[in-house]
């Protein structure tokens, strides 16, 4: 995940012009222009990769559809102008008629900016999240959002159990809590189609940890993922090029061991007003905030 530095600018204009000639008014009406913001790739007929190539974050979200319901994993950066009053929902309405539940891979600002467009919001059944929820309202902290103050809260309509089969309708998924990047981070494991959606835990780009103590949690999570996945699974992340080589799981595991053993070289860098250490290992990079 990269810092939210600026709002990307896109021009998307709906033209409605009134021209007068002498005393006669001529109304010229054109069809509305759909913005060119998302790049949508259909992985299967029931699985859509939704990229935001023009966003400051290079976001990737996923629409996972079953016969009876669908899961929208993350809801974009919110940097686009939108179309017909929505910034993401208009696109989803074109892709499925199934009822959609929004599931955030984690709570950082660049994954939840269109949250108000969803009537159904599912949270992973993590005790710390339930304890903080009152009358189904979950208040987001500044630390959880990482940047900015939006959204202030969310109305939780569903709690998805962890490590338990969830049937979307002829499609079985499981949620796995993968601590490290954040404590609430979850992966969606699609057991039916052998897909794993990993959010910001692993993607094609520099990975971020926000405390040196997070290395231990990250290592525990990667050990667990390796124990439940095999090479028949395809992996997908939340930034950059969506699909991740399966070999990256083992490379990340080795990388974290290298950091734990103080065997990896690092470079001190001042980023976003804070001291960080940038580690490099083979083809991977991890930035850790001190």
């Amino acid at each position: 995940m990269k810092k939210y530095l600026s709002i990307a600018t896109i021009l998307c204009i709906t033209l409605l012009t009134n021209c007068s000639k002498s005393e006669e008014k001529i109304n010229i009406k054109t069809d509305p222009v759909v913005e060119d913001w998302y790049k949508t790739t259909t992985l299967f007929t029931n699985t859509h990769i939704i990229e935001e190539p023009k966003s400051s974050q290079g976001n990737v979200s996923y629409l996972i559809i079953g016969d009876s319901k669908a899961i929208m994993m993350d809801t974009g950066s919110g940097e686009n102008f939108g179309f017909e009053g929505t910034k993401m929902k208009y696109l989803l309405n074109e892709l499925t008629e199934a009822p959609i539940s929004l599931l955030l891979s984690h709570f950082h600002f660049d994954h939840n900016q269109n949250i108000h467009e969803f009537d159904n919001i599912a949270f992973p059944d993590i005790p710390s999240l339930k304890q903080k929820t009152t009358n189904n309202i979950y208040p987001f902290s500044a630390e959880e959002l990482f940047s900015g103050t939006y959204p202030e809260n969310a109305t939780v309509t569903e709690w998805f159990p962890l490590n338990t089969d969830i049937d979307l309708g002829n499609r079985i998924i499981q949620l796995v809590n993968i601590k490290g990047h954040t404590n609430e981070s979850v992966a969606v494991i699609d057991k039916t189609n052998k897909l794993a959606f990993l959010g910001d835990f692993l993607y094609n780009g520099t990975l971020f940890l926000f405390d040196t103590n997070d290395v231990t949690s990250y290592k525990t999570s990667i050990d667990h993922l390796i124990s439940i996945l095999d090479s028949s699974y395809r992996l997908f992340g939340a930034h950059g090029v969506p699909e991740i080589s399966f070999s990256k799981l083992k490379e990340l595991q080795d990388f974290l061991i290298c950091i734990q053993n103080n065997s990896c070289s690092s470079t001190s860098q001042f980023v976003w007003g804070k001291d960080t250490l940038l580690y490099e290992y083979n083809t991977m990079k991890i930035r850790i905030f001190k």
Side-chain angles (χ1 to χ4, degrees), residues 243-261:
E243 188 159 8
I244 311 160
S245 169
F246 190 83
S247 64
K248 288 288 186 181
L249 286 178
K250 184 62 169 65
E251 186 174 355
L252 177 57
Q253 185 183 51
D254 292 341
F255 193 176
L256 292 170
I257 293 172
C258 182
I259 294 174
Q260 286 181 321
N261 293 338

Side-chain angles (χ1 to χ4, degrees), residues 82-126:
F83 175 66
E84 294 186 339
T86 73
K87 292 189 175 185
M88 177 172 265
K89 199 64 183 296
Y90 77 86
L91 174 66
L92 305 186
N93 289 340
E94 295 175 359
L95 297 175
T96 185
E97 295 181 355
I100 299 174
S101 293
L102 172 64
L103 174 70
L104 301 176
S105 64
H106 62 298
F107 295 164
H108 281 168
F109 72 98
D110 52 331
H111 297 266
N112 59 23
Q113 291 301 292
N114 299 315
I115 191 170
H116 59 281
E117 295 184 8
F118 293 83
D119 296 325
N120 298 317
I121 299 175
F123 270 25
D125 192 350
I126 297 173

Side-chain angles (χ1 to χ4, degrees), residues 45 66 120 224 229 260 262 279:
T45 56
N120 298 317
H224 180 61
L229 301 176
Q260 286 181 321
N262 295 315
Y279 290 88

Side-chain angles (χ1 to χ4, degrees), residues 216-275:
T216 299
S217 297
Y218 219 91
K219 172 62 165 51
T220 299
S221 296
I222 194 66
D223 289 348
H224 180 61
L225 281 177
I226 288 175
S227 73
I228 63 174
L229 301 176
D230 58 51
S231 58
S232 66
Y233 275 85
R234 297 173 67 181
L235 312 180
F236 296 87
H239 297 281
V241 177
E243 188 159 8
I244 311 160
S245 169
F246 190 83
S247 64
K248 288 288 186 181
L249 286 178
K250 184 62 169 65
E251 186 174 355
L252 177 57
Q253 185 183 51
D254 292 341
F255 193 176
L256 292 170
I257 293 172
C258 182
I259 294 174
Q260 286 181 321
N261 293 338
N262 295 315
S263 301
C264 285
S265 60
S266 63
T267 304
S268 294
Q269 296 181 345
F270 199 62
V271 177
W272 307 331
K274 297 182 179 180
D275 290 322

Side-chain angles (χ1 to χ4, degrees), residues 36-138:
D36 180 22
W37 179 258
Y38 296 106
K39 174 186 175 184
T40 304
T41 304
T42 300
L43 189 61
F44 301 118
T45 56
N46 60 359
T47 308
H48 302 281
I49 303 170
I50 301 174
E51 300 177 67
E52 298 179 78
K54 300 175 184 177
S55 76
S56 63
Q57 311 301 309
N59 286 68
V60 187
S61 305
Y62 298 91
L63 181 60
I64 304 163
I65 306 168
D67 289 347
S68 56
K69 68 183 302 182
I71 299 297
M72 184 65 217
M73 190 173 185
D74 292 340
T75 180
S77 68
E79 296 170 273
N80 53 319
F81 287 138
F83 175 66
E84 294 186 339
T86 73
K87 292 189 175 185
M88 177 172 265
K89 199 64 183 296
Y90 77 86
L91 174 66
L92 305 186
N93 289 340
E94 295 175 359
L95 297 175
T96 185
E97 295 181 355
I100 299 174
S101 293
L102 172 64
L103 174 70
L104 301 176
S105 64
H106 62 298
F107 295 164
H108 281 168
F109 72 98
D110 52 331
H111 297 266
N112 59 23
Q113 291 301 292
N114 299 315
I115 191 170
H116 59 281
E117 295 184 8
F118 293 83
D119 296 325
N120 298 317
I121 299 175
F123 270 25
D125 192 350
I126 297 173
S128 61
L129 300 185
K130 270 197 165 177
Q131 290 168 7
K132 194 178 169 183
T133 303
T134 304
N135 296 325
N136 300 320
I137 304 296
Y138 183 88

